[in-house]
Amino acid sequence: MKIVFKIKEDDARNPGVIADCTGDNAGDSVGPSADGFETYGVTGVALITFILLGVKNPDPVVQSNIQVQLLVWIFVMRIAMLVASAVAYFVKRLHRQGAFQECGQDEF
């Protein structure tokens, strides 16, 4: 149909473009949360490997210090992510209980 109506390939009126954008958005939103280990675990291993193999300095003492600082920073950030996720979960749970307490049971 796009040829009949002379719609360009990347035009928003093209149904294929709409479907592609919808699929991209769904994949970006659901994909990382679908498999937590693959997303976050493997990324952490890759970062640690990069730091150990990619951070080089002629002075071995300086190299070790830089590597240790970067590794500690990565683990602190990963722990902060876990704590922030747990806090957000419980805050949202409390908000939901307060906001929808009068609604009763969900009917799905």
Side-chain angles (χ1 to χ4, degrees):
M1 285 310 275
K2 69 180 183 180
I3 295 171
V4 173
F5 291 111
K6 298 180 182 172
I7 298 175
K8 293 184 179 181
E9 183 70 29
D10 293 329
D11 194 327
R13 296 174 294 165
N14 181 354
V17 171
I18 296 169
D20 185 40
C21 289
T22 303
D24 289 347
N25 288 336
D28 292 344
S29 301
V30 179
S33 62
D35 188 1
F37 174 75
E38 185 67 29
T39 301
Y40 300 107
V42 173
T43 303
V45 171
L47 286 170
I48 292 168
T49 304
F50 173 74
I51 288 172
L52 294 177
L53 298 177
V55 176
K56 300 292 182 195
N57 194 304
D59 185 5
V61 174
V62 173
Q63 177 178 329
S64 295
N65 288 339
I66 293 172
Q67 287 175 337
V68 167
Q69 288 174 354
L70 290 172
L71 288 171
V72 167
W73 181 80
I74 283 178
F75 283 109
V76 167
M77 289 299 111
R78 291 174 74 81
I79 291 169
M81 286 170 36
L82 290 173
V83 170
S85 294
V87 168
Y89 173 80
F90 288 112
V91 167
K92 180 62 179 169
R93 185 175 176 188
L94 289 173
H95 175 265
R96 184 185 65 201
Q97 287 175 350
F100 301 109
Q101 192 173 30
E102 298 171 3
C103 293
Q105 192 74 10
D106 289 337
E107 296 179 14
F108 289 111

